[in-house]
Amino acid sequence: MKSILKWGLAAVIAAGTLLPSAAFAEGFKDVKETDTHYDNILIAQELGILSGYPDGTFRPNQKLTRANVIKALGKFELEMAEKTMDTYPVAGVKPFRDIPPTSRDQELYKLSLVVKAAGIFDGDPNNDAKPANLMSRQQMAKVLVNAFWLEDLEGVDADVRDLDKAAPYFRDQIKILSENSVTNVTEFRPTETTSRAQFASFLVRSFDAMLAAPIESVIDPEPVTTTLGVEPELPESVEVVLTNGIIAETYVEWDTSGWNLSEVGRYTITGEIWDADWVIELEVIVDDVRHTDPVVEK
């Protein structure tokens, strides 16, 4: 399994029920609410994938370099793994030839090891990452599929009419983006470049698609203990395993009609997982506090 993705703002955003532009993300002085990619830029910022520049700008129209993508997806991988650049396991990973340990941009160097270790970037046959080069849309398709564990969806047809313009080894990844609604255009323009604003939308849609994978199983929650007459605090979410191997947390709504808090016993209540056809069980233990007090010998 890939790693644990904590529920919270990120998953709510992925479900489309909350936009952080109103309450969370700080925003950028060169990104207006009327801009096409406005919401996704702020969501990507809140997810910690994309950031702006020290002068408070995002530079949405700036062309995307491979170094930009390495940093963005490296940060995402760290969030997924709940690691830092110093704790992520990169021992034995051979640095890209053109991003050596002596690189002036140490953030780029460390994150390049992360994306290489995670199998997101593999470099060219000469082990070069070419960080200064602009990122083509077909190259972006490959790394997005790798980073977000996107899959070929059975029974879903890709609607891309210019696949013949893509290099053969990128065509499958482009089709996967289309199947997962990461791209919604029929002319993908595989050899063209991408702006930072467009990349923000690609990132957020990829994130949505990753969490949209069906639930494969539910991890049973730990029993909850309470005392007579005291309503217990039930977990708001449970861990689920998605078919792509991601472990996520999702909301659950409990049916408490199956317990009697005025009587000692073990009760099983059921819960419905939010936005999914799954019912789970939770054991609730009602104790008499008098029975748990230590016996005092006289």
Side-chain angles (χ1 to χ4, degrees):
M1 295 180 185
K2 177 72 171 176
S3 52
I4 296 177
L5 179 68
K6 289 188 177 296
W7 181 276
L9 174 65
V12 175
I13 290 171
T17 61
L18 175 65
L19 290 178
S21 53
F24 293 92
E26 296 177 1
F28 304 97
K29 60 187 181 183
D30 59 344
V31 180
K32 301 177 182 178
E33 290 189 32
T34 55
D35 292 347
T36 302
H37 303 281
Y38 173 77
D39 287 328
N40 287 333
I41 289 171
L42 296 187
I43 292 172
Q45 179 194 15
E46 189 61 37
L47 292 175
I49 306 175
L50 284 181
S51 58
Y53 292 88
D55 62 359
T57 63
F58 182 75
R59 304 176 191 175
N61 297 320
Q62 182 172 293
K63 294 298 183 181
L64 197 70
T65 67
R66 291 175 61 83
N68 295 149
V69 179
I70 287 171
K71 287 187 176 183
L73 297 183
K75 291 174 183 177
F76 175 72
E77 175 64 21
L78 292 179
E79 289 290 331
M80 288 285 291
E82 297 186 283
K83 300 289 186 181
T84 68
M85 287 190 288
D86 295 323
T87 61
Y88 193 90
V90 294
V93 177
K94 183 180 180 181
F96 290 112
R97 188 176 66 167
D98 51 358
I99 312 179
T102 56
S103 174
R104 292 181 61 183
D105 189 341
Q106 280 296 294
E107 181 185 52
L108 175 62
Y109 166 66
K110 292 180 180 180
L111 290 173
S112 72
L113 295 179
V114 170
V115 296
K116 192 174 188 183
I120 298 172
F121 267 77
D122 50 18
D124 67 10
N126 295 318
N127 192 36
D128 286 327
K130 299 182 178 178
N133 286 13
L134 295 181
M135 191 83 173
S136 71
R137 290 167 64 88
Q138 60 184 359
Q139 293 169 341
M140 180 188 62
K142 177 181 177 179
V143 296
L144 288 178
V145 168
N146 291 345
F148 291 92
W149 280 40
L150 302 181
E151 300 176 319
D152 185 7
L153 300 182
E154 185 176 350
V156 179
D157 293 327
D159 188 15
V160 179
R161 300 171 188 174
D162 59 350
L163 273 178
D164 59 310
K165 297 179 180 178
Y169 40 84
F170 289 127
R171 292 174 185 173
D172 285 344
Q173 288 92 343
I174 294 171
K175 288 193 290 185
I176 289 174
L177 290 193
S178 178
E179 292 170 10
N180 285 272
S181 299
V182 176
T183 180
N184 50 21
V185 297
T186 56
E187 299 292 327
F188 187 73
R189 309 184 309 279
T191 60
E192 293 186 15
T193 56
T194 302
S195 70
R196 282 171 53 82
Q198 292 168 334
F199 186 52
S201 289
F202 275 116
L203 287 171
V204 173
R205 291 180 196 144
S206 296
F207 187 87
D208 288 351
M210 180 183 70
L211 288 186
I215 296 174
E216 184 172 82
S217 62
V218 179
I219 299 175
D220 293 333
E222 294 291 329
V224 173
T225 301
T226 187
T227 56
L228 284 172
V230 177
E231 185 169 334
E233 184 175 342
L234 302 178
E236 294 182 352
S237 62
V238 293
E239 290 184 331
V240 296
V241 182
L242 307 181
T243 55
N244 56 12
I246 298 295
I247 300 177
E249 291 183 32
T250 184
Y251 285 127
V252 60
E253 184 174 348
W254 299 105
D255 177 2
T256 59
S257 61
W259 67 22
N260 182 356
L261 299 180
S262 62
E263 186 174 329
V264 172
R266 292 176 176 265
Y267 301 92
T268 299
I269 64 172
T270 59
E272 293 187 2
I273 292 180
W274 178 72
D275 202 32
D277 189 24
W278 278 80
V279 175
I280 63 172
E281 294 183 345
L282 172 68
E283 184 181 36
V284 177
I285 304 169
V286 180
D287 280 340
D288 185 342
V289 67
R290 294 171 299 179
H291 294 167
T292 60
D293 287 341
V295 176
V296 178
E297 296 184 1
K298 298 183 178 179

